Amino acid sequence: MTENKRPHIIVLGAGFGGLEFCKHFHNPDAQITLVDRTNHHLFQPLLYQVATAGLSAPEIAQPIRAILSGQPNLTVLLDIVTDFNLAEKKVMLADRTLHYDYLVLALGGCTSYYGHPEWEQFAPGLKSLSDALHIRSQILLAFERAETASTPEMRERLMTIVVVGGGPTGVELAGAFAELARHVLKTDFRHIDASETRVILLEGGPRVLGTFSPELSMSAQKQLEGLGVQVHTATKVKSISEGRVDLENGETISAANIIWAAGVAATPLTKKLGVPLDRANRIKVNPDLSLPGHPDVFAVGDMALVLEPDGSPVPGVSPAAMQMAKHVALLVENDIAFEGAVARPAFKYWDKGTMATIGRSAAVAKVGKFEFSGLMAWLAWLLIHLIFLVGFRNKVAVLFQWFYSYVTYKRGARIITQMPGEASGSCSTARAVAATTVR
Amino acid sequence: MTENKRPHIIVLGAGFGGLEFCKHFHNPDAQITLVDRTNHHLFQPLLYQVATAGLSAPEIAQPIRAILSGQPNLTVLLDIVTDFNLAEKKVMLADRTLHYDYLVLALGGCTSYYGHPEWEQFAPGLKSLSDALHIRSQILLAFERAETASTPEMRERLMTIVVVGGGPTGVELAGAFAELARHVLKTDFRHIDASETRVILLEGGPRVLGTFSPELSMSAQKQLEGLGVQVHTATKVKSISEGRVDLENGETISAANIIWAAGVAATPLTKKLGVPLDRANRIKVNPDLSLPGHPDVFAVGDMALVLEPDGSPVPGVSPAAMQMAKHVALLVENDIAFEGAVARPAFKYWDKGTMATIGRSAAVAKVGKFEFSGLMAWLAWLLIHLIFLVGFRNKVAVLFQWFYSYVTYKRGARIITQMPGEASGSCSTARAVAATTVR
């Protein structure tokens, strides 16, 4: 795959970091190989909309090849990274081994259960498209079962949604679930009142959105409660089992739907690099984002632990990943141009502002010294996400979707796609399906 | 679930037949229970568009509850039919047993392999949403593998798509695959030329679209060949195995992608009714569409074998199913109003015309005595499908999709959603995934 002479750059991961590197690396003599385990770039910030039936999967995903088809010196590979050999400048993939001159690690993060992997089966996380489709199917299925539940206890259990973790994802999910139940599903059922759904948000820390100011945290909690979400701060989870959350304060919540939004870590593949990591498996990179002892290997985004001058880590948000990728693209360009004989500036994160959405015209935003919430913050969130959403088609489709659900309070993607009952339309399996039914 | 006094009508299946009955049955005193094994109504005529990455799943599916939320005397049940007891007027579902006064069978059809169920694993059919998503993922994955194939033979195998069956579905699929390869994927790859993809359509009969006139069949074949499809008529399949089709003429085709569009039968559940069936498991209903010996049970759509005055069967198309359902709705209304003391007219099928689409501005259509093909037929097809497409939102979204792909030759839904590599975003499984990789 690699040609001699021409420097070969391997980029692992087609998330915000990986794509941004490819877009800002302008040396046509170099050859780039971009590796991802899926065929699409995922617009992570809107993943919660797929999980809550607001958007369909293709609306927040774009084929990687389509995005980069204009770059002749770039090859896209659908493959899975299994191991590294930094000494020999090799990356081992499931189907082949590649040699690199420069390596850019942009594999992103994954859902971490803090040493409790056994909780995953009872409380799915939200990191991939299949995660989102799984959660969507599970929640919609729970309402279907509640409609025919034989006892009030069973009904209440099925109509309780617990979101663990009061960060941006947890807040977004809780708000969206509350709206789904109170407005979208309200008229759908005959035997249950979907608006009686309990949405409970559990946060271990003293307040939700801990990275925001206390004022915005308070505003976010008020807006959540306005949507009917029960917010419990300073509430730690002791254990999670089938349809049951046990809290450290001794209480127990019985809920058919438990979503885990409490932990993100770097992909465990970082452990195979043999470089210092933090507790979340993030690589303690040099100020120029290269790996200690490996000036030809860089890490960007959720894989990299970068410290601000004040010692706080750069947040794991897409703008940070994109800024890091752009920085690395420039470094590598210079490195190749001047054969390494050039000083490498340190990466500086420019915080353009952060925001979290809560629901229909409900959000909080912080831009520099300015903080605002409510409708104005929500409009800002809408605008910024539309601008950054990859691909013209998705922008229009998503805008249309949002406008439609804003006006009608309906959601178009209320489709259960992962049902045993719908496994296949074949006659031979139709029987088998009838036998092994949805319980 | 059923109340005394009020007549209870059970409708099985929320396809075109089931929905049409519910919409045209106007007796508010009667109670209707609609049972379906999925939570959505599927717009079957556009299923091939999901399989060929033209549309996303929610764009051709609508939540059943949302469609019928305006009918207070109607209950929707998500459940699976397992058996019948017509003598005791009972329907057994996976989770419960229901008693009916009137029963409407509208469970539709399924993919039949004519006594060769073992072919299914090598040649999936196209009847359900998961069928479509499965085919889409399989084809897109094949191109990804072709891009990195080590031998020309392997590459050719991966870039060969065989569609078995030259009926409307087979013709639509073959045309859409040819366009996908020649136009959409053309610029996506570096090592393969997607436009070299071989799309082969196999038809056992003397011509494609056998239910149309010889002229239209010839026109359809010409239009297919214009798109680059290799059409083989009078070519019967002897056997299908992994990546291989053996023909009765002794030839063998090596293809990684084999789609079965050759057979449709009624759901095998009809065998449990104890009434006369034809070879495709269709119920030989009375002229009024009731079951022989069961005046309170009706079958509509693909489950029913209805003969035209000339002895030919009414085709298994959605307009026929909808006309049957409307007929039955009226019968049952009268039956209840006059306590059965009223004559039942026989069902008459009104053929409004039939059409099949082949590709971008390519189609054939027959309306009464008028036959036309090409752009005009395609525009008619577009218009009619938009008009009948259930749900405002889908109409606009789909129209936008079509306009977009027509102008740009792009397809928005080129997303592989069913990949081992994308199974879950959890850290613990991320490893497992890396271990059990895509091969």
Short mmCIF file of all heavy atoms in Angstrom, two decimals, chain B residues 353-393:
data_model
loop_
_atom_site.label_atom_id
_atom_site.label_comp_id
_atom_site.label_asym_id
_atom_site.label_seq_id
_atom_site.Cartn_x
_atom_site.Cartn_y
_atom_site.Cartn_z
N GLY B 353 -54.03 0.45 -13.20
CA GLY B 353 -52.79 0.52 -13.97
C GLY B 353 -51.64 0.02 -13.14
O GLY B 353 -51.71 0.00 -11.90
N THR B 354 -50.59 -0.43 -13.81
CA THR B 354 -49.43 -0.93 -13.08
C THR B 354 -48.17 -0.29 -13.67
O THR B 354 -48.15 0.10 -14.84
CB THR B 354 -49.31 -2.46 -13.21
OG1 THR B 354 -49.44 -2.80 -14.59
CG2 THR B 354 -50.38 -3.16 -12.41
N MET B 355 -47.15 -0.19 -12.84
CA MET B 355 -45.91 0.38 -13.33
C MET B 355 -44.74 -0.24 -12.60
O MET B 355 -44.88 -0.81 -11.52
CB MET B 355 -45.91 1.89 -13.13
CG MET B 355 -46.52 2.34 -11.81
SD MET B 355 -46.52 4.13 -11.66
CE MET B 355 -47.13 4.61 -13.25
N ALA B 356 -43.58 -0.18 -13.24
CA ALA B 356 -42.34 -0.63 -12.59
C ALA B 356 -41.27 0.39 -12.93
O ALA B 356 -41.18 0.86 -14.06
CB ALA B 356 -41.95 -2.01 -13.10
N THR B 357 -40.47 0.75 -11.93
CA THR B 357 -39.41 1.71 -12.18
C THR B 357 -38.10 0.95 -12.40
O THR B 357 -37.91 -0.14 -11.87
CB THR B 357 -39.25 2.68 -11.01
OG1 THR B 357 -38.14 3.54 -11.28
CG2 THR B 357 -38.98 1.94 -9.72
N ILE B 358 -37.24 1.53 -13.22
CA ILE B 358 -35.99 0.86 -13.59
C ILE B 358 -34.80 1.66 -13.11
O ILE B 358 -33.81 1.12 -12.66
CB ILE B 358 -35.93 0.63 -15.11
CG1 ILE B 358 -37.02 -0.36 -15.50
CG2 ILE B 358 -34.56 0.13 -15.54
CD1 ILE B 358 -37.52 -0.22 -16.90
N GLY B 359 -34.93 2.97 -13.18
CA GLY B 359 -33.84 3.82 -12.72
C GLY B 359 -34.16 5.28 -12.99
O GLY B 359 -35.31 5.63 -13.24
N ARG B 360 -33.13 6.09 -12.93
CA ARG B 360 -33.27 7.52 -13.16
C ARG B 360 -33.98 7.75 -14.49
O ARG B 360 -33.47 7.38 -15.55
CB ARG B 360 -31.86 8.12 -13.17
CG ARG B 360 -31.75 9.59 -13.39
CD ARG B 360 -30.25 9.91 -13.43
NE ARG B 360 -29.98 11.22 -14.00
CZ ARG B 360 -29.67 12.29 -13.26
NH1 ARG B 360 -29.66 12.19 -11.95
NH2 ARG B 360 -29.38 13.44 -13.83
N SER B 361 -35.16 8.34 -14.43
CA SER B 361 -36.01 8.59 -15.60
C SER B 361 -36.15 7.37 -16.51
O SER B 361 -36.18 7.49 -17.72
CB SER B 361 -35.49 9.79 -16.40
OG SER B 361 -34.13 9.66 -16.69
N ALA B 362 -36.21 6.20 -15.89
CA ALA B 362 -36.44 4.97 -16.66
C ALA B 362 -37.51 4.15 -15.95
O ALA B 362 -37.37 3.85 -14.75
CB ALA B 362 -35.16 4.15 -16.78
N ALA B 363 -38.58 3.82 -16.66
CA ALA B 363 -39.67 3.04 -16.07
C ALA B 363 -40.60 2.56 -17.17
O ALA B 363 -40.46 2.96 -18.33
CB ALA B 363 -40.43 3.89 -15.05
N VAL B 364 -41.53 1.68 -16.80
CA VAL B 364 -42.59 1.30 -17.73
C VAL B 364 -43.91 1.40 -16.99
O VAL B 364 -43.98 1.18 -15.79
CB VAL B 364 -42.41 -0.14 -18.26
CG1 VAL B 364 -41.16 -0.26 -19.11
CG2 VAL B 364 -42.40 -1.13 -17.11
N ALA B 365 -44.98 1.79 -17.70
CA ALA B 365 -46.28 1.95 -17.06
C ALA B 365 -47.39 1.54 -18.01
O ALA B 365 -47.27 1.69 -19.23
CB ALA B 365 -46.47 3.39 -16.60
N LYS B 366 -48.46 1.01 -17.41
CA LYS B 366 -49.62 0.60 -18.20
C LYS B 366 -50.86 1.12 -17.49
O LYS B 366 -51.10 0.80 -16.32
CB LYS B 366 -49.64 -0.92 -18.30
CG LYS B 366 -50.89 -1.52 -18.92
CD LYS B 366 -50.70 -3.03 -18.99
CE LYS B 366 -52.00 -3.77 -18.69
NZ LYS B 366 -52.53 -3.49 -17.35
N VAL B 367 -51.62 1.98 -18.17
CA VAL B 367 -52.86 2.49 -17.59
C VAL B 367 -53.98 2.22 -18.58
O VAL B 367 -54.03 2.83 -19.65
CB VAL B 367 -52.76 4.01 -17.30
CG1 VAL B 367 -54.06 4.50 -16.69
CG2 VAL B 367 -51.59 4.30 -16.37
N GLY B 368 -54.83 1.25 -18.25
CA GLY B 368 -55.87 0.85 -19.20
C GLY B 368 -55.24 0.37 -20.50
O GLY B 368 -54.38 -0.50 -20.49
N LYS B 369 -55.61 1.01 -21.58
CA LYS B 369 -55.04 0.59 -22.87
C LYS B 369 -53.73 1.29 -23.16
O LYS B 369 -53.00 0.94 -24.08
CB LYS B 369 -56.05 0.90 -23.99
CG LYS B 369 -57.31 0.06 -23.88
CD LYS B 369 -58.10 0.05 -25.17
CE LYS B 369 -59.19 -1.00 -25.08
NZ LYS B 369 -59.64 -1.26 -23.67
N PHE B 370 -53.43 2.33 -22.37
CA PHE B 370 -52.24 3.13 -22.67
C PHE B 370 -50.99 2.53 -22.04
O PHE B 370 -51.00 2.16 -20.87
CB PHE B 370 -52.43 4.57 -22.17
CG PHE B 370 -53.62 5.24 -22.77
CD1 PHE B 370 -54.82 5.32 -22.07
CD2 PHE B 370 -53.56 5.76 -24.07
CE1 PHE B 370 -55.93 5.92 -22.61
CE2 PHE B 370 -54.67 6.37 -24.62
CZ PHE B 370 -55.86 6.45 -23.90
N GLU B 371 -49.97 2.41 -22.83
CA GLU B 371 -48.69 1.94 -22.33
C GLU B 371 -47.64 2.99 -22.64
O GLU B 371 -47.61 3.52 -23.74
CB GLU B 371 -48.31 0.62 -23.00
CG GLU B 371 -49.26 -0.53 -22.68
CD GLU B 371 -48.73 -1.83 -23.21
OE1 GLU B 371 -47.91 -1.80 -24.15
OE2 GLU B 371 -49.12 -2.88 -22.68
N PHE B 372 -46.82 3.31 -21.67
CA PHE B 372 -45.70 4.22 -21.97
C PHE B 372 -44.50 3.85 -21.12
O PHE B 372 -44.60 3.14 -20.11
CB PHE B 372 -46.09 5.68 -21.79
CG PHE B 372 -46.89 5.96 -20.54
CD1 PHE B 372 -46.34 6.64 -19.48
CD2 PHE B 372 -48.22 5.54 -20.44
CE1 PHE B 372 -47.09 6.91 -18.34
CE2 PHE B 372 -48.96 5.81 -19.30
CZ PHE B 372 -48.40 6.49 -18.25
N SER B 373 -43.33 4.32 -21.56
CA SER B 373 -42.09 3.97 -20.85
C SER B 373 -41.13 5.14 -20.90
O SER B 373 -41.40 6.15 -21.54
CB SER B 373 -41.45 2.75 -21.53
OG SER B 373 -41.24 3.03 -22.90
N GLY B 374 -40.01 5.02 -20.19
CA GLY B 374 -39.01 6.07 -20.17
C GLY B 374 -39.36 7.18 -19.18
O GLY B 374 -40.05 6.95 -18.19
N LEU B 375 -38.91 8.39 -19.49
CA LEU B 375 -39.05 9.52 -18.56
C LEU B 375 -40.50 9.72 -18.13
O LEU B 375 -40.80 9.86 -16.95
CB LEU B 375 -38.53 10.80 -19.23
CG LEU B 375 -38.69 12.09 -18.40
CD1 LEU B 375 -37.92 11.99 -17.09
CD2 LEU B 375 -38.22 13.31 -19.18
N MET B 376 -41.42 9.65 -19.09
CA MET B 376 -42.82 9.94 -18.76
C MET B 376 -43.35 8.92 -17.75
O MET B 376 -43.98 9.27 -16.75
CB MET B 376 -43.66 9.90 -20.02
CG MET B 376 -44.93 10.71 -19.91
SD MET B 376 -45.90 10.50 -21.43
CE MET B 376 -47.54 10.39 -20.72
N ALA B 377 -43.05 7.65 -17.99
CA ALA B 377 -43.49 6.60 -17.05
C ALA B 377 -42.84 6.82 -15.69
O ALA B 377 -43.47 6.64 -14.64
CB ALA B 377 -43.12 5.22 -17.60
N TRP B 378 -41.59 7.27 -15.71
CA TRP B 378 -40.87 7.46 -14.44
C TRP B 378 -41.49 8.59 -13.64
O TRP B 378 -41.70 8.48 -12.44
CB TRP B 378 -39.40 7.75 -14.73
CG TRP B 378 -38.55 7.85 -13.51
CD1 TRP B 378 -38.12 6.82 -12.72
CD2 TRP B 378 -38.02 9.03 -12.93
NE1 TRP B 378 -37.36 7.30 -11.68
CE2 TRP B 378 -37.28 8.66 -11.79
CE3 TRP B 378 -38.10 10.40 -13.26
CZ2 TRP B 378 -36.62 9.58 -10.98
CZ3 TRP B 378 -37.44 11.31 -12.46
CH2 TRP B 378 -36.72 10.90 -11.33
N LEU B 379 -41.83 9.68 -14.34
CA LEU B 379 -42.45 10.81 -13.64
C LEU B 379 -43.80 10.39 -13.06
O LEU B 379 -44.14 10.72 -11.93
CB LEU B 379 -42.62 12.00 -14.61
CG LEU B 379 -41.32 12.69 -14.99
CD1 LEU B 379 -41.56 13.75 -16.06
CD2 LEU B 379 -40.67 13.33 -13.76
N ALA B 380 -44.56 9.61 -13.83
CA ALA B 380 -45.85 9.11 -13.33
C ALA B 380 -45.62 8.28 -12.08
O ALA B 380 -46.31 8.42 -11.06
CB ALA B 380 -46.54 8.29 -14.41
N TRP B 381 -44.61 7.41 -12.15
CA TRP B 381 -44.28 6.54 -11.00
C TRP B 381 -43.94 7.40 -9.79
O TRP B 381 -44.45 7.20 -8.68
CB TRP B 381 -43.11 5.64 -11.37
CG TRP B 381 -42.59 4.80 -10.26
CD1 TRP B 381 -43.04 3.57 -9.88
CD2 TRP B 381 -41.53 5.12 -9.35
NE1 TRP B 381 -42.32 3.12 -8.80
CE2 TRP B 381 -41.39 4.05 -8.45
CE3 TRP B 381 -40.68 6.22 -9.20
CZ2 TRP B 381 -40.45 4.03 -7.44
CZ3 TRP B 381 -39.74 6.21 -8.18
CH2 TRP B 381 -39.63 5.12 -7.32
N LEU B 382 -43.08 8.42 -10.01
CA LEU B 382 -42.66 9.31 -8.93
C LEU B 382 -43.88 9.96 -8.29
O LEU B 382 -44.09 9.91 -7.09
CB LEU B 382 -41.74 10.38 -9.52
CG LEU B 382 -40.70 11.02 -8.60
CD1 LEU B 382 -39.65 10.00 -8.20
CD2 LEU B 382 -40.03 12.18 -9.33
N LEU B 383 -44.74 10.53 -9.13
CA LEU B 383 -45.91 11.25 -8.64
C LEU B 383 -46.80 10.33 -7.82
O LEU B 383 -47.15 10.62 -6.68
CB LEU B 383 -46.69 11.81 -9.84
CG LEU B 383 -47.93 12.63 -9.49
CD1 LEU B 383 -47.53 13.96 -8.88
CD2 LEU B 383 -48.79 12.86 -10.73
N ILE B 384 -47.15 9.19 -8.41
CA ILE B 384 -48.09 8.28 -7.74
C ILE B 384 -47.53 7.80 -6.41
O ILE B 384 -48.22 7.76 -5.40
CB ILE B 384 -48.42 7.09 -8.67
CG1 ILE B 384 -49.34 7.58 -9.79
CG2 ILE B 384 -49.05 5.95 -7.90
CD1 ILE B 384 -49.66 6.56 -10.84
N HIS B 385 -46.22 7.47 -6.38
CA HIS B 385 -45.66 6.96 -5.12
C HIS B 385 -45.61 8.05 -4.07
O HIS B 385 -45.78 7.79 -2.89
CB HIS B 385 -44.29 6.35 -5.36
CG HIS B 385 -44.37 4.97 -5.93
ND1 HIS B 385 -44.70 4.74 -7.25
CD2 HIS B 385 -44.24 3.75 -5.36
CE1 HIS B 385 -44.72 3.45 -7.47
NE2 HIS B 385 -44.46 2.83 -6.34
N LEU B 386 -45.38 9.29 -4.50
CA LEU B 386 -45.38 10.37 -3.52
C LEU B 386 -46.78 10.57 -2.97
O LEU B 386 -46.98 10.72 -1.77
CB LEU B 386 -44.89 11.67 -4.17
CG LEU B 386 -43.38 11.80 -4.24
CD1 LEU B 386 -43.00 13.09 -4.93
CD2 LEU B 386 -42.78 11.75 -2.84
N ILE B 387 -47.79 10.51 -3.85
CA ILE B 387 -49.16 10.73 -3.41
C ILE B 387 -49.58 9.66 -2.40
O ILE B 387 -50.17 9.95 -1.37
CB ILE B 387 -50.13 10.73 -4.61
CG1 ILE B 387 -49.92 11.97 -5.46
CG2 ILE B 387 -51.58 10.64 -4.14
CD1 ILE B 387 -50.61 11.93 -6.81
N PHE B 388 -49.16 8.41 -2.67
CA PHE B 388 -49.61 7.33 -1.79
C PHE B 388 -48.72 7.13 -0.58
O PHE B 388 -49.10 6.47 0.37
CB PHE B 388 -49.70 6.01 -2.58
CG PHE B 388 -50.93 5.95 -3.45
CD1 PHE B 388 -50.85 6.05 -4.82
CD2 PHE B 388 -52.18 5.80 -2.86
CE1 PHE B 388 -51.98 6.00 -5.61
CE2 PHE B 388 -53.32 5.75 -3.65
CZ PHE B 388 -53.22 5.85 -5.02
N LEU B 389 -47.53 7.70 -0.62
CA LEU B 389 -46.60 7.52 0.50
C LEU B 389 -47.24 8.03 1.79
O LEU B 389 -47.66 9.17 1.88
CB LEU B 389 -45.29 8.26 0.22
CG LEU B 389 -44.13 7.98 1.17
CD1 LEU B 389 -43.95 6.47 1.34
CD2 LEU B 389 -42.85 8.57 0.63
N VAL B 390 -47.35 7.16 2.77
CA VAL B 390 -48.05 7.52 4.00
C VAL B 390 -47.30 8.59 4.78
O VAL B 390 -46.11 8.49 4.99
CB VAL B 390 -48.22 6.28 4.89
CG1 VAL B 390 -48.94 6.64 6.18
CG2 VAL B 390 -49.00 5.19 4.15
N GLY B 391 -48.00 9.63 5.18
CA GLY B 391 -47.43 10.59 6.11
C GLY B 391 -46.78 11.79 5.46
O GLY B 391 -45.87 11.65 4.66
N PHE B 392 -47.22 12.97 5.83
CA PHE B 392 -46.70 14.20 5.24
C PHE B 392 -45.18 14.24 5.29
O PHE B 392 -44.51 14.43 4.30
CB PHE B 392 -47.26 15.40 6.01
CG PHE B 392 -46.41 16.64 5.89
CD1 PHE B 392 -46.49 17.43 4.75
CD2 PHE B 392 -45.52 16.99 6.89
CE1 PHE B 392 -45.70 18.56 4.63
CE2 PHE B 392 -44.73 18.13 6.77
CZ PHE B 392 -44.82 18.91 5.64
N ARG B 393 -44.63 14.01 6.49
CA ARG B 393 -43.20 14.18 6.68
C ARG B 393 -42.42 13.32 5.68
O ARG B 393 -41.51 13.78 5.01
CB ARG B 393 -42.82 13.80 8.11
CG ARG B 393 -41.32 13.83 8.33
CD ARG B 393 -40.82 12.47 8.73
NE ARG B 393 -39.35 12.42 8.68
CZ ARG B 393 -38.69 11.29 8.59
NH1 ARG B 393 -39.34 10.16 8.49
NH2 ARG B 393 -37.37 11.29 8.56
#
